[in-house]
């Protein structure tokens, strides 16, 4: 049996690191200065010494009106950026009144069926002053266009809007499952979004390439960054194939990673990821703009590490995870609420999660020094080792024909599932300690009253849709959806006709169904 102490990625760990570990280490090549290639020390010269990261709180539940009230509360408490959670029907391109949506409306996020709902969701919020991240993938174009239309209602042009759509469909085939269309159609839609935003919403981050969901499914830190960057390469290739200039669209790419409680490896992970991406963009894709070479990322603390047992302990976990993200150089951060392993967060829990970030930012000294672990024997060694492990996995994906071909072969999914199984075994046999779960248990758990979603929400959404369908110009909507189908069947950009349909109050489900009519629906047994 292997009794060597190893990191989450399987890299051997030593009890003591010394100067011998860094024999031949060239800081000028491996590190550079903050804000310069290869960006190991951070993507901006001043990092947090000028201002802290953007503090986002992921929120959304029930109706648009309820979520709007939560957003106003978060903004009042100092949140600089909103992060929107959508319910499963919205994520899958179905309306709340479709049979498949029953029982899921408003459950894991807010239900958004139309422009009417989007107007309510952001009512009274200054879209020209806040940055909004939307966790939406297959229907990302729909939600982005709805947001743009609400901005126009407020008199805010697309050029003033800032935020991010996740828009990362490849990881859905690997780890999460909220895909709609086959991969080739999904890549075409993503390229159309890149081109549209370049013209219409130039400050928007058009994709947030996500390792978070793969990590939540069980990926190690090395797998997380490797499979994320392999997917990113596929998106870059698709955009270049669509005729886009790498130095025009690449500066708007962003990434999304997890922060675990294994603080030292997480710091090394973020540093290694920046260095790998800088070399990929410069050396493989010929990007000359430094902004094209920067790996800018949002971080969320690890939901999978939260426990339903002794949930208050999660406050400690989240603080450590948040600190790892900050010391690793994140650009924005969401800290999970301590009760998320049980239900949607209560208002108090969400406020405490935000306060955790504020304590790190304003009551510690970590914002006063850029990359404080630079030169550490342990951190630099771990950064190098994680870089090597991730590059090996990226090459394994390339050897299989790239990310899409590797997905077809089940490579990434199988690797992640093997890692998840190993962790589950370690928890079961108690070689991995989880406080409150397999060690330091209490006889009686204190009662906890979670936030519950009112089942009346589904009925209310169905009624709102019935009213919308009666009031709108249905003939105009039908013509607009037909135009969308025609464009999707050709080679034009589908976002302008999609925007016209949504402006006429077509629903998200109707838009998705129009594209399904042309592109089809992905089935897991498909081979592409």
């Amino acid at each position: 049996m292997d009794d060597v102490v190893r990191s989450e990625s399987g890299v051997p760990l030593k009890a003591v690191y010394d100067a011998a570990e860094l024999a031949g280490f060239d800081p000028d090549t491996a590190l550079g200065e903050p804000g310069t290639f290869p960006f190991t020390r951070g993507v901006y010269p001043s990092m947090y010494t000028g201002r802290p990261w953007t503090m986002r709180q992921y929120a959304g539940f029930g109706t648009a009106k309820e979520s709007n009230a939560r957003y106003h509360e978060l903004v009042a408490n100092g949140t600089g950026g909103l992060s929107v959670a959508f319910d499963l029907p919205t994520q899958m391109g179905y309306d709340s009144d479709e049979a498949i949506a029953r029982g899921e409306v408003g459950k894991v996020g807010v239900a958004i069926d139309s422009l009417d709902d989007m107007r309510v969701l952001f009512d009274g919020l200054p879209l020209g002053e806040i940055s909004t991240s939307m966790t939406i993938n297959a229907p990302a174009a729909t939600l982005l266009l709805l947001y743009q239309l609400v901005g126009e209602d407020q008199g805010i042009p697309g050029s003033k809007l800032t935020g991010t759509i996740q828009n990362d469909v490849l990881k859905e085939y690997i780890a999460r499952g909220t895909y709609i269309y086959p991969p080739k159609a999904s890549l075409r839609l993503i390229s159309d979004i890149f081109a549209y935003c370049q013209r219409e919403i130039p400050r928007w981050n058009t994709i947030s390439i996500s390792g978070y969901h793969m990590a939540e499914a069980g990926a190690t830190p090395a797998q997380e960054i490797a499979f994320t960057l392999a997917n990113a390469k596929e998106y870059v290739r698709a955009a270049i194939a669509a005729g886009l200039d790498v130095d025009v669209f690449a500066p708007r790419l962003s990434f999304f990673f997890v922060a675990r409680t294994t603080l030292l490896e997480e710091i090394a992970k973020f540093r290694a990821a920046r260095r790998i991406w800088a070399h990929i963009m410069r050396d493989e894709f010929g990007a000359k703009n430094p902004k094209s070479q920067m790996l800018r990322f949002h971080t969320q603390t690890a939901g999978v590490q939260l426990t339903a047992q002794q949930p208050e302990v999660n406050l400690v976990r989240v603080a450590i995870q948040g600190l790892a993200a900050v010391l690793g150089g994140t650009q924005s951060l969401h800290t999970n609420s301590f009760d998320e392993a049980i239900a949607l967060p209560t208002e108090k829990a969400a406020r405490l999660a935000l306060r955790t970030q504020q304590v790190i930012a304003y009551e510690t000294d970590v914002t006063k020094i850029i990359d404080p672990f630079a030169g550490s024997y342990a951190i630099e060694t771990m950064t190098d080792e994680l870089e090597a492990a991730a590059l090996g996995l990226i090459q394994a994906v390339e050897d299989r024909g790239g990310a899409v071909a590797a997905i077809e072969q089940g490579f990434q999914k199988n690797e992640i599932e093997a890692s998840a199984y190993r962790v589950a075994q370690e928890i079961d046999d108690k070689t991995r300690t989880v406080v409150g779960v397999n060690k330091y248990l209490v006889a009686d758990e204190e009662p906890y009253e979670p936030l519950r979603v009112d089942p009346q929400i589904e009925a209310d959404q169905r009624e709102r849709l019935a009213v919308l369908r009666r009031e709108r110009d249905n003939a105009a909507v039908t013509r607009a959806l037909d135009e969308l189908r025609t464009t999707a069947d050709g080679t034009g950009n589908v976002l302008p006709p999609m925007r016209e349909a949504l402006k006429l109050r077509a629903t998200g489900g109707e838009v998705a169904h129009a594209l399904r009519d042309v592109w089809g629906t992905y089935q897991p047994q498909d081979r592409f």
Side-chain angles (χ1 to χ4, degrees):
M1 183 177 176
D2 184 0
D3 57 359
V4 176
V5 176
R6 296 182 182 275
S7 73
E8 292 288 295
S9 295
V11 175
L13 295 177
K14 295 183 177 183
V16 177
Y17 290 81
D18 56 32
E21 310 296 336
L22 300 183
F25 178 76
D26 180 2
D28 290 336
T29 301
L31 301 183
E33 295 297 322
T36 64
F37 187 91
F39 304 102
T40 311
R41 304 198 64 190
V43 292
Y44 300 125
S46 61
M47 289 303 290
Y48 311 135
T49 60
R51 63 182 178 87
W53 58 95
T54 299
M55 299 182 192
R56 296 192 186 279
Q57 286 307 107
Y58 187 48
F61 62 95
T63 66
K65 185 176 181 180
E66 288 176 297
S67 293
N68 175 263
R70 174 63 61 84
Y71 296 156
H72 279 280
E73 174 73 17
L74 289 171
V75 170
N77 278 281
T79 296
L82 298 176
S83 187
V84 184
F86 298 97
D87 71 357
L88 281 175
T90 303
Q91 293 181 50
M92 298 293 288
Y94 294 108
D95 291 330
S96 296
D97 59 357
E98 296 189 58
I100 197 170
R102 285 187 180 157
E104 291 294 340
V105 176
K107 286 290 180 67
V108 298
V110 61
I112 297 295
D113 291 312
S114 70
L115 180 56
D116 293 10
D117 290 331
M118 204 68 158
R119 284 169 171 153
V120 173
L121 184 65
F122 290 103
D123 182 48
L125 293 165
L127 300 193
E129 299 173 19
I130 60 173
S131 171
T132 301
S133 173
M134 294 187 281
T135 303
I136 195 71
N137 293 284
T142 301
L143 277 300
L144 173 63
L145 292 171
L146 290 174
Y147 191 85
Q148 183 187 16
L149 289 168
V150 172
E152 290 175 0
D153 287 348
Q154 296 185 5
I156 301 163
S159 60
K160 300 286 187 183
L161 296 175
T162 60
T164 303
I165 42 171
Q166 194 162 104
N167 194 27
D168 174 12
V169 179
L170 290 182
K171 66 94 173 48
E172 298 294 328
Y173 304 111
I174 296 171
R176 193 162 174 267
T178 64
Y179 42 72
I180 299 177
Y181 319 109
K184 287 182 180 177
S186 294
L187 287 173
R188 182 231 173 130
L189 184 53
I190 288 167
S191 296
D192 282 357
I193 291 170
F194 289 174
Y196 180 86
C197 286
Q198 180 182 319
R199 296 190 308 269
E200 300 284 339
I201 320 176
R203 297 175 64 196
W204 199 268
N205 295 316
T206 51
I207 193 168
S208 178
I209 307 160
S210 174
Y212 181 87
H213 301 93
M214 291 187 275
E216 291 286 279
T220 67
Q223 290 171 342
E224 179 191 356
I225 59 174
F227 297 152
T228 302
L229 299 187
N231 286 349
K233 290 174 68 172
E234 199 83 4
Y235 294 131
V236 172
R237 289 182 184 124
I240 291 172
L244 302 180
D245 186 299
V246 67
D247 278 321
V248 173
F249 72 82
R252 302 318 307 170
L253 302 179
S254 65
F255 293 80
F256 177 23
F257 294 116
V258 79
R260 302 170 179 82
T261 52
T262 44
L263 184 142
L264 298 180
E265 185 172 18
E266 292 300 282
I267 295 169
K269 176 191 78 178
F270 296 130
R271 299 170 88 249
R274 276 194 296 271
R275 192 156 70 201
I276 293 170
W277 185 243
H279 280 285
I280 286 173
M281 292 306 293
R282 187 190 71 174
D283 302 339
E284 293 187 36
F285 293 110
K288 296 179 175 58
N289 184 347
K291 291 184 178 180
S292 301
Q293 303 163 0
M294 293 179 183
L295 185 142
R296 298 171 303 112
F297 63 95
H298 170 68
T299 309
Q300 182 171 337
T301 55
V304 73
Q305 291 187 319
L306 302 182
T307 64
Q309 301 93 329
Q310 301 181 42
E312 292 84 356
V313 178
N314 293 329
L315 286 164
V316 182
R317 294 187 177 101
V318 168
I320 294 169
Q321 294 163 355
L323 185 60
V326 170
L327 292 172
T330 192
Q331 275 59 72
S332 66
L333 176 62
H334 164 81
T335 35
N336 289 328
S337 301
F338 74 89
D339 53 357
E340 287 187 42
I342 302 169
L344 289 167
T346 61
E347 185 176 312
K348 180 179 180 180
R351 186 168 58 250
L352 282 170
L354 176 59
R355 294 289 183 255
T356 301
Q357 293 199 52
Q358 291 166 336
V359 168
I360 294 172
Y362 302 114
E363 293 191 23
T364 75
D365 55 5
V366 298
T367 60
K368 295 178 174 62
I369 300 173
I370 300 167
D371 190 25
F373 280 88
S376 158
Y377 300 139
I379 291 295
E380 297 298 359
T381 301
M382 293 173 73
T383 300
D384 289 349
E385 290 174 340
L386 270 171
E387 180 181 24
L391 286 171
L393 285 167
I394 291 171
Q395 188 58 51
V397 171
E398 292 293 299
D399 291 345
R400 287 162 174 79
V404 171
I407 289 168
E408 179 184 16
Q409 298 164 47
F411 174 66
Q412 301 98 316
K413 191 170 186 291
N414 290 340
E415 291 290 302
I416 291 169
E417 287 175 352
S419 299
Y421 181 68
R422 174 179 58 82
V423 170
Q425 281 188 312
E426 291 172 355
I427 293 171
D428 287 346
D429 64 23
K430 299 185 179 180
T431 56
R432 176 187 293 260
T433 296
V434 181
V435 174
V437 174
N438 63 4
K439 199 170 184 180
Y440 309 117
L441 282 64
V442 293
D444 297 308
E445 291 282 346
E446 295 180 11
Y448 173 80
E449 184 58 38
L451 178 71
R452 301 191 185 278
V453 176
D454 187 346
Q456 182 63 33
I457 285 170
E458 184 170 330
D460 292 345
Q461 280 297 110
R462 294 169 73 89
E463 177 57 29
R464 282 174 61 80
L465 279 166
V467 171
L468 176 142
R469 296 186 208 278
R470 287 196 304 268
E471 290 180 348
R472 71 186 184 182
D473 184 342
N474 285 296
V477 169
T478 298
R479 288 193 297 271
L481 291 172
D482 285 341
E483 180 62 27
L484 175 59
R485 290 185 185 92
T486 300
T487 305
D489 199 32
T491 58
N493 192 310
V494 298
L495 268 73
M498 187 186 297
R499 175 181 166 176
E500 182 61 25
L502 293 167
K503 191 173 183 178
L504 292 167
R505 300 169 76 195
T507 67
E510 289 167 341
V511 166
H513 287 312
L515 294 178
R516 285 183 178 100
D517 291 343
V518 179
W519 293 340
T521 301
Y522 173 69
Q523 299 297 329
Q525 67 267 25
D526 281 355
R527 291 294 177 260
F528 42 88

